Amino acid sequence: MKRQKLQGHSTDPSMTEVDRGHETTKAAPGRSLIIILAIIVSCLMGGWVSTVRNTGSLSLPYLRVDIAIVSFVCMLPLAILISDWLYRIFSHQSPPLFKLVQIIFYIGAAVILILALSSSPPRGTLSSYDAWESIILRPVLAFWLMLTLCLLEGQVAGRGTCSDLSWKQGPLIWGLALITAILVPSIYIQSRVDEIVTTIDESLGSGRLGEARRLTREVCVLAPWQKISGLPAGDLSRDLDRSCYEIERNLAYMQLEPADSEESAYQRARLLTILGKGEAATRVLAPWKDQQTVSPLICQLLGNIYQQQEQWGESEDWYQKSLNAWKRLPHSEQQQAGIVSAWKGIAFAERKRGNYEEAESAYLSALSLAPQADQHFLLAQFYEDTQQTAKAREHALQAMALNVDRYGKSGQQLITSLQQQHFGCLNVWRQGSP
């Protein structure tokens, strides 16, 4: 009699489709817990990457906090689908096999965490094997840990005893999950690589070899096929390793003698700045920077150091001190070059602080003293950022005319960017080609 009542309840003809839908929705396991846990795990992984980066090493295979978080979060939909499929197929039809799968994933996740926390991150030159291994490990580790988390959450939530997991996902859902897990992180990583390459070019142009070496090593891991300044990333990384090794060796010889003169302190701090050790360079210059007759070279170097640390106010102050010190010296080529460099440092700091009129005035002062291609191209970039299209194009063309080998390609790219950003500006389109 009870069986008949139960059967009658489950097949009650008076129950509408909407009621059945509400009943299924109530019985379906919630996803809030697994989403929250996945976000927490992703942030913890990003935090671990950050601690490794702070020690000056490379946290393979993710390297950057945002890449770790994106990789784990994007893997979550696929992990949820597969965990539901495992619960639906194995937990009912073959419980011992399902238990074995769970044990394998739990042990594997524990091993991954132990290796991640105990292994020493690489510091030296990386090989192509390290790069391709990292490319494979990024999705594999994210998949393994996310699926383990889903299995653990399902076990805690009692999903294995739920009979409402008989629904089937179509190929569209699986396809979207695969695209989210594999393609989205790949696109994001490539966009970050493009940003890193731009920063590397800027670092090489300003002589910051230490920063360029660190970023190039990251590119070698994230995208080993990438070219930087026309060279494969691996070749450039090895060249920078050799250059930085020579600088470190010279610096070691200099540190054997005390920095008892302003000149020796400047040379030591300059090498430290090239290696990207700005704080150490500032400590070396500390006994000399408060003197009234401080060298313009030291002022200029301190302006550069604070610029690298993005302390724009301090950077501008020291570049201004450098400018004043250069102006007090007799006229010479070195004095004129120092004044131009100081004006450019002031202009960059003002630009970063949002003082565009002061930045333009400083750039024009540098250009009036040295009407060269470098100054014209800096002004073109400044006018592009400040939406002054006609002036940007004019100075880009002048830079290309004065030094076509260096600025021919980059100048044309800037003009093309102006055309794309200012589609309605007919003047740029009519005169887009030099």
Side-chain angles (χ1 to χ4, degrees):
M1 185 67 179
K2 289 183 178 181
R3 183 180 300 176
Q4 291 177 354
K5 288 183 178 180
L6 290 173
Q7 290 176 352
H9 176 74
S10 62
T11 59
D12 186 0
S14 64
M15 181 180 290
T16 64
E17 292 296 329
V18 175
D19 295 333
R20 292 193 185 97
H22 285 307
E23 186 181 74
T24 303
T25 302
K26 292 179 181 178
R31 292 302 181 189
S32 300
L33 178 60
I34 187 59
I35 292 175
I36 293 174
L37 290 175
I39 293 175
I40 293 174
V41 169
S42 302
C43 292
L44 289 175
M45 181 58 66
W48 170 76
V49 171
S50 178
T51 59
V52 177
R53 284 175 57 84
N54 290 337
T55 63
S57 302
L58 291 178
S59 49
L60 299 176
Y62 296 104
L63 292 148
R64 290 177 174 250
V65 175
D66 54 336
I67 292 177
I69 294 175
V70 168
S71 298
F72 276 77
V73 172
C74 288
M75 189 61 68
L76 180 60
L78 182 62
I80 289 177
L81 290 178
I82 294 179
S83 67
D84 283 350
W85 178 79
L86 288 173
Y87 273 111
R88 185 174 67 250
I89 300 300
F90 289 100
S91 64
H92 296 292
Q93 299 181 5
S94 181
L97 183 59
F98 179 71
K99 289 292 183 183
L100 179 61
V101 171
Q102 284 182 307
I103 292 173
I104 291 174
F105 273 92
Y106 293 160
I107 294 176
V111 171
I112 290 172
L113 294 176
I114 292 173
L115 291 177
L117 297 175
S118 61
S119 300
S120 57
R123 292 177 179 268
T125 302
L126 299 172
S127 65
S128 58
Y129 173 79
D130 296 314
W132 292 110
E133 182 184 63
S134 296
I135 291 175
I136 296 173
L137 283 177
R138 274 193 290 273
V140 169
L141 293 180
F143 171 76
W144 196 282
L145 293 179
M146 285 292 99
L147 184 55
T148 302
L149 186 66
C150 291
L151 292 174
L152 183 61
E153 185 269 343
Q155 190 70 26
V156 173
R159 187 169 292 115
T161 62
C162 180
S163 61
D164 289 319
L165 289 174
S166 58
W167 51 273
K168 295 183 179 180
Q169 300 294 349
L172 179 61
I173 300 298
W174 283 95
L176 289 175
L178 284 171
I179 290 174
T180 303
I182 304 298
L183 190 58
V184 172
S186 300
I187 295 174
Y188 181 81
I189 290 172
Q190 186 58 48
S191 69
R192 297 292 284 128
V193 168
D194 294 338
E195 295 177 6
I196 296 172
V197 169
T198 301
T199 306
I200 292 172
D201 290 334
E202 295 174 354
S203 300
L204 292 174
S206 58
R208 303 196 302 267
L209 300 186
E211 181 182 3
R213 175 177 63 170
R214 176 179 60 82
L215 294 175
T216 303
R217 293 178 67 207
E218 292 188 2
V219 174
C220 288
V221 175
L222 295 175
W225 56 83
Q226 186 76 34
K227 286 191 175 183
I228 307 172
S229 299
L231 291 175
D235 293 346
L236 179 60
S237 179
R238 284 185 286 272
D239 292 342
L240 289 172
D241 281 340
R242 285 191 291 267
S243 299
C244 290
Y245 172 75
E246 291 296 327
I247 294 173
E248 290 169 349
R249 187 173 64 176
N250 294 334
L251 185 61
Y253 289 138
M254 295 176 64
Q255 289 177 338
L256 296 176
E257 301 178 359
D260 53 359
S261 67
E262 192 176 46
E263 175 65 23
S264 62
Y266 168 75
Q267 293 298 336
R268 184 182 299 180
R270 185 180 65 86
L271 294 181
L272 288 170
T273 305
I274 292 174
L275 293 174
K277 301 178 180 180
E279 294 182 358
T282 304
R283 288 194 297 269
V284 172
L285 296 176
W288 309 96
K289 67 179 184 178
D290 294 330
Q291 296 183 3
Q292 294 182 352
T293 58
V294 61
S295 165
L297 291 173
I298 288 182
C299 295
Q300 191 168 303
L301 183 59
L302 284 168
N304 185 22
I305 292 171
Y306 287 119
Q307 184 184 103
Q308 294 180 27
Q309 297 173 352
E310 298 184 358
Q311 300 182 35
W312 310 119
E314 291 286 340
S315 175
E316 182 186 355
D317 290 342
W318 282 105
Y319 273 119
Q320 188 65 54
K321 292 178 181 179
S322 173
L323 177 64
N324 297 333
W326 282 117
K327 288 182 175 179
R328 290 193 294 264
L329 297 179
H331 185 275
S332 65
E333 290 186 4
Q334 183 185 17
Q335 186 240 16
Q336 290 297 295
I339 292 176
V340 171
S341 180
W343 275 124
K344 292 195 303 186
I346 293 171
F348 189 77
E350 293 283 16
R351 177 178 169 186
K352 287 295 186 179
R353 297 174 72 183
N355 302 326
Y356 297 122
E357 292 184 3
E358 292 81 357
E360 181 182 16
S361 177
Y363 278 127
L364 290 173
S365 297
L367 181 64
S368 64
L369 292 173
Q372 300 171 352
D374 295 346
Q375 276 62 257
H376 280 292
F377 195 73
L378 285 174
L379 264 170
Q381 292 177 316
F382 168 75
Y383 286 131
E384 180 192 19
D385 289 344
T386 54
Q387 307 297 311
Q388 301 183 58
T389 305
K391 291 182 178 180
R393 178 188 173 279
E394 175 188 351
H395 285 283
L397 290 176
Q398 293 189 46
M400 296 165 68
L402 290 172
N403 193 339
V404 67
D405 293 335
R406 182 172 182 179
Y407 293 111
K409 182 178 179 180
S410 55
Q412 188 57 49
Q413 289 176 345
L414 189 146
I415 292 175
T416 302
S417 176
L418 291 173
Q419 293 172 344
Q420 295 173 349
Q421 295 176 13
H422 305 278
F423 187 81
C425 186
L426 297 179
N427 185 48
V428 177
W429 280 99
R430 291 194 190 103
Q431 303 176 358
S433 300

